[in-house]
Amino acid sequence: FTGSKEHNIILRRIAIKKGWKLSEYGLFENKTGKQIAGATEEEVYKKLGLEYIEPEMREDQGEIEAALKGNFPTPIPYGSLKGDLQIQTDWTDGKNSILEMAKEAKKQGLEYIAITDHTKDLAMTGGSDEKKLMAQMVEIDKVNKSLSGIKVLKGAEVNIRKDGTLDITDEVLSKLDVVGASVHSSFKMSKKDMTERIVRAMRNPNVDILFHPTGRSMPKRDEYDLNLDTVITEAKKTGTILEINAQPRRLDLKDIYIRKTKEAGVRMVIDSDAHNTEHLKFLKYGIAQARRGWAEAKDILNTLPLEK
């Protein structure tokens, strides 16, 4: 009953065909009224002849057919992320220092993080220009020397300009461990123009990840008009990773897009987009979103240890 109404209706139909009745009280024989399952959810699914379906996947999106065939995916487990690849600090619009973010991430069980402060086009955040980015790289080296048990990667969240170019030179981007690119302006472009803009950015060999790919920020802004199928195809060609942004106001990619991305064989990452130490806890919402989209651990790159 934590699933959608549609999921529930199909389960009841399966029960009826077997001469049983399924309700919120359990699974019962019609003739005798005897309860035959219901102590646990797993027991009910098993009795109905289905593999267990996790609560996040109970949406009547093909999960029952898959569970009947016995080829149901194992969704990414909670707590399985080893890194977080989008973190902002007090170098731009974050609240905490690089060291504070790293210490908190270690406390939460992470093995690596990427510092991805905004870049210069986002002047209101104090975005980094090339000189400031180079200075931050030196600071990250110092932080890494003072820490054990976690590695801090050098990164940036670079702005995708209206024409698809980036606001930091390739020379400096090539020195970073992780480059995420994202759209922060001109949200009302046509589908064709917005798609071309993002595709051009993905073709830059320095871009590793497309951050919050559809740009939604709930409740104030819907996703922009974008041909996501084209973006997924381009990601496959260029090896670009698509992000599942765990910020509750974003949850971007959304579940149906996660499933499309998975089916295309394109890898994803789950990031907190943390702007303070408390935000690192958002990763669990990104995992929940990934599970809704049928993503398995193998589909999410930052379930892997750093060297992999």
Side-chain angles (χ1 to χ4, degrees):
F1 280 84
T2 59
S4 70
K5 181 176 78 174
E6 292 77 13
H7 177 91
N8 206 352
I9 286 168
I10 296 172
L11 290 186
R12 286 177 184 231
R13 281 184 191 147
I14 293 169
I16 288 164
K17 278 183 187 172
K18 292 177 182 285
W20 302 331
K21 180 187 174 187
L22 177 64
S23 74
E24 60 267 42
Y25 302 107
L27 189 62
F28 302 86
E29 286 181 347
N30 260 339
K31 287 178 182 173
T32 64
K34 181 188 172 188
Q35 184 166 355
I36 52 175
T40 64
E41 291 187 332
E42 287 85 351
E43 189 179 275
V44 173
Y45 281 99
K46 188 176 180 183
K47 194 73 180 171
L48 292 174
L50 299 163
E51 281 190 63
Y52 179 65
I53 299 172
E54 297 284 354
E56 302 93 331
M57 304 163 95
R58 300 173 191 169
E59 294 288 334
D60 187 25
Q61 296 290 328
E63 74 279 0
I64 288 174
E65 293 82 350
L68 280 167
K69 287 176 189 167
N71 59 357
F72 202 60
T74 303
I76 174 174
Y78 288 99
S80 59
L81 297 178
K82 291 186 165 53
D84 188 344
L85 299 174
Q86 193 189 165
I87 287 176
Q88 278 77 11
T89 71
D90 59 4
W91 279 65
T92 57
D93 61 341
K95 185 181 171 189
N96 296 95
S97 69
I98 296 168
L99 183 61
E100 286 167 339
M101 295 303 280
K103 282 181 174 177
E104 181 59 30
K106 182 183 173 183
K107 204 186 287 182
Q108 308 246 355
L110 296 180
E111 296 173 13
Y112 54 92
I113 58 169
I115 302 302
T116 55
D117 280 301
H118 290 293
T119 45
K120 62 188 177 189
D121 276 5
L122 268 74
M124 67 281 207
T125 70
S128 301
D129 60 10
E130 286 80 357
K131 189 178 174 185
K132 190 173 171 182
L133 261 179
M134 295 295 288
Q136 190 181 60
M137 290 184 220
V138 173
E139 178 63 21
I140 289 171
D141 284 335
K142 286 181 191 169
V143 169
N144 276 322
K145 280 178 186 168
S146 73
L147 282 172
S148 63
I150 190 162
K151 173 81 169 177
V152 182
L153 302 174
K154 300 163 186 173
E157 180 177 6
V158 298
N159 192 43
I160 301 173
R161 290 173 164 161
K162 203 171 177 180
D163 64 355
T165 58
L166 307 174
D167 66 338
I168 296 293
T169 64
D170 285 335
E171 184 189 357
V172 172
L173 291 180
S174 67
K175 298 178 191 298
L176 295 168
D177 300 313
V178 180
V179 176
S182 50
V183 169
H184 288 102
S185 59
S186 303
F187 299 118
K188 300 290 187 187
M189 292 171 74
S190 70
K191 180 185 272 195
K192 178 178 177 291
D193 290 343
M194 183 62 88
T195 304
E196 285 175 359
R197 172 188 187 180
I198 290 172
V199 163
R200 182 175 180 188
M202 291 165 73
R203 285 177 180 162
N204 183 310
N206 291 306
V207 171
D208 301 303
I209 308 169
L210 180 61
F211 283 163
H212 43 78
T214 70
R216 73 175 181 174
S217 183
M218 302 173 283
K220 67 178 182 180
R221 188 177 67 237
D222 291 333
E223 58 195 57
Y224 27 71
D225 209 3
L226 179 68
N227 188 328
L228 198 79
D229 290 331
T230 301
V231 169
I232 291 170
T233 300
E234 193 61 37
K236 182 95 172 168
K237 279 186 204 164
T238 58
T240 308
I241 300 151
L242 300 189
E243 182 188 59
I244 300 168
N245 189 299
Q247 276 274 355
R249 71 177 185 275
R250 288 195 184 275
L251 297 176
D252 178 11
L253 295 166
K254 66 182 180 186
D255 52 358
I256 56 172
Y257 298 156
I258 291 167
R259 191 153 164 203
K260 269 188 174 187
T261 304
K262 171 189 166 66
E263 286 167 357
V266 171
R267 303 295 273 288
M268 293 166 276
V269 291
I270 297 170
D271 297 327
S272 67
D273 197 355
H275 284 64
N276 62 53
T277 52
E278 283 297 304
H279 289 172
L280 289 163
K281 295 172 183 170
F282 289 159
L283 286 173
K284 64 187 174 189
Y285 303 128
I287 293 174
Q289 187 77 342
R291 287 164 67 91
R292 281 171 60 90
W294 295 34
E296 299 174 76
K298 66 183 181 183
D299 302 311
I300 307 298
L301 209 58
N302 51 328
T303 57
L304 296 172
L306 182 58
E307 62 273 15
K308 290 191 179 177

